[in-house]
Amino acid sequence: MFNLSLLRQFTRLSIVPTISPTVISRNVSATASLQFKITDQLWAEPMKKKKKIDPAIVKAREERRRKKLEKQIRRLEKNARQLKPIDEMEVPLELLDNFNKRKRPQPKLSAEVIEARALLQKEWTRYKRAEYMANVAQIDRIMAAQRRALEKLYEESEDLYNEAIMPDMSLIPYEIRGTVATPPIKNYESPDGEYIDISKKWDN
């Protein structure tokens, strides 16, 4: 038989281990239903004393932070419409340094030379126009001859006419075999799509 009074007194006790000042104390309690239970750990520490800072120093810090942000915004706005450079289109620096030495002055042309060049340009324009009109006329003659041939073929046989106007599917796809720069390599295994990305990155 258990002594109920002793059991009730035991459940009211709280065990507080204090080994050293550095050890955090924890309360342990026991009840009839929950047996033993450990309370949550409390790792609190005393609040740090706030240091008094001169308002002028705080204002100066905020001013520096604001100026830094404005500078970054101006830099982003300046480079917003700037395109990424292309190495193949950049002019070497040595050519830029020698640009003034290599630059030739424009020759002074006489009135006769300017007039002769203008007449030559007009003559060339007339020649190209005549060439274009001749090409257009030749295409028109070819299309007219084709149309007359199809009309004659339709009069002879409608089946042959339908075969003639059908598209030639053997022309598509079109494949050409010819010489290459190097002969084929026997037992060559092509790479499986692996590559090293060496493209440059630019931050705006």
Side-chain angles (χ1 to χ4, degrees), residues 15-27:
I15 303 172
V16 181
T18 55
I19 299 174
S20 64
T22 58
V23 177
I24 297 177
S25 63
R26 287 186 264 175
N27 297 329

Side-chain angles (χ1 to χ4, degrees), residues 13-87:
L13 292 177
S14 62
I15 303 172
V16 181
T18 55
I19 299 174
S20 64
T22 58
V23 177
I24 297 177
S25 63
R26 287 186 264 175
N27 297 329
V28 180
S29 61
T31 59
S33 60
L34 298 178
Q35 302 300 327
F36 289 96
K37 180 182 178 182
I38 300 176
T39 58
D40 296 334
Q41 299 183 14
L42 303 177
W43 295 77
E45 61 179 354
M47 297 181 65
K48 294 182 180 179
K49 186 178 180 181
K50 294 183 179 181
K51 297 181 180 179
K52 293 183 179 180
I53 304 177
D54 190 2
I57 298 177
V58 176
K59 186 176 180 181
R61 290 179 181 174
E62 294 294 334
E63 189 69 19
R64 285 197 300 270
R65 188 180 297 109
R66 185 179 61 81
K67 289 182 178 180
K68 185 177 180 181
L69 291 175
E70 290 178 353
K71 183 179 179 181
Q72 292 178 355
I73 292 172
R74 286 196 302 269
R75 186 175 60 184
L76 291 175
E77 290 177 350
K78 180 180 179 181
N79 298 330
R81 299 179 62 84
Q82 184 176 359
L83 301 177
K84 293 181 180 180
I86 302 176
D87 295 339

Side-chain angles (χ1 to χ4, degrees), residues 135-146:
N135 291 334
V136 171
Q138 184 178 5
I139 293 173
D140 290 341
R141 289 194 300 271
I142 293 173
M143 293 181 67
Q146 183 184 21

